[in-house]
Amino acid sequence: MNRVRWLNAQWPSSMRTIGHKLKALPFSEDSMDGFAIERVRDDFIEGRYIEKYIYQEVNSDPFGKEEVIERTGYRSTDFTLFAQFPYVELRNGQRSIKEFVNKLLQACNFTLVVSPITVSLLDWVASFQKITGQKIVVDSLQVSGVALGEGITGKILLKGDRDVREAIDNIVGGKKYTLEKVQVKMTSGGKSLSVHLANNGTAKIPPDHISDLLPVLRQSFPKGRP
């Protein structure tokens, strides 16, 4: 599954200006991190954020002698910055976005504001279904923060061979809860596939369907709260 995450941003200047600033912080042989910018347009910037890291590998021979070898590794995150919502799209990156955000702030002289998004998953699914024109089945969902008693909250995972959305209220009995994750099932090219969505603005998409599903998920992405 390919992981995509969206973030909120308040751009301090135009995409062209920000693109030039990112190009001024390129990844090179001598740097530990930096950007590789591929395209800069009036309404978006496309590129990669690359990190270099050093780690040690210990090898032991049959006689117990150890040899420490220093190796170099690289991590890369594909991204698109949009002038309009959704502002930041990260693809196949690390779970921690701290280093990417810090480098982005540095490029913008720390006048940029980037923040996570909390979205309504039911709104996202409904919009996604409307745009695709297909029947979408939510066959798995996870809720948390369900009040089970004084000072006691629970997390519930629902799974089914049919849509489980209607079962939420029956199970939680009108109590407050947070819908954290859903798995939606749909048909594409005559084959069944699943897409995972999370309320932090994250989607996991089958690799073979990135090109057709990513634009639709982006278009259907609800404006969440920062």
Side-chain angles (χ1 to χ4, degrees), residues 29-75:
E29 292 184 4
D30 300 325
S31 61
M32 291 302 294
D33 67 343
F35 298 105
I37 302 303
E38 297 165 6
R39 288 194 293 172
V40 177
R41 301 290 186 268
D42 290 338
D43 53 349
F44 73 90
I45 300 167
E46 203 165 66
R48 288 178 298 143
Y49 170 65
I50 306 170
E51 298 174 83
K52 178 167 64 178
Y53 61 95
I54 309 296
Y55 65 99
Q56 292 183 333
E57 187 177 282
V58 180
N59 292 329
S60 300
D61 64 22
F63 307 102
K65 183 179 179 181
E66 293 186 344
E67 179 185 12
V68 179
I69 302 174
E70 191 172 87
R71 299 193 182 278
T72 301
Y74 298 89
R75 291 186 287 258

Side-chain angles (χ1 to χ4, degrees), residues 95-176:
R95 288 192 173 275
S96 173
I97 61 174
K98 181 179 178 181
E99 298 303 325
F100 167 78
V101 171
N102 285 343
K103 201 67 175 181
L104 199 56
L105 293 175
Q106 180 186 341
C108 295
N109 299 318
F110 299 95
T111 58
L112 166 66
V113 177
V114 176
S115 58
I117 302 175
T118 300
V119 301
S120 167
L121 290 177
L122 294 182
D123 288 347
W124 198 357
V125 172
S127 179
F128 182 61
Q129 179 170 300
K130 182 178 180 181
I131 293 173
T132 59
Q134 293 191 32
K135 181 180 179 181
I136 302 295
V137 175
V138 177
D139 65 347
S140 174
L141 61 80
Q142 178 177 297
V143 298
S144 66
V146 182
L148 301 176
E150 186 175 350
I152 302 174
T153 59
K155 180 176 288 190
I156 301 172
L157 176 64
L158 301 182
K159 291 184 177 182
D161 54 8
R162 58 188 177 89
D163 205 302
V164 299
R165 280 176 283 185
E166 295 181 359
I168 299 178
D169 291 334
N170 294 334
I171 292 176
V172 302
K175 298 181 178 69
K176 289 184 177 181

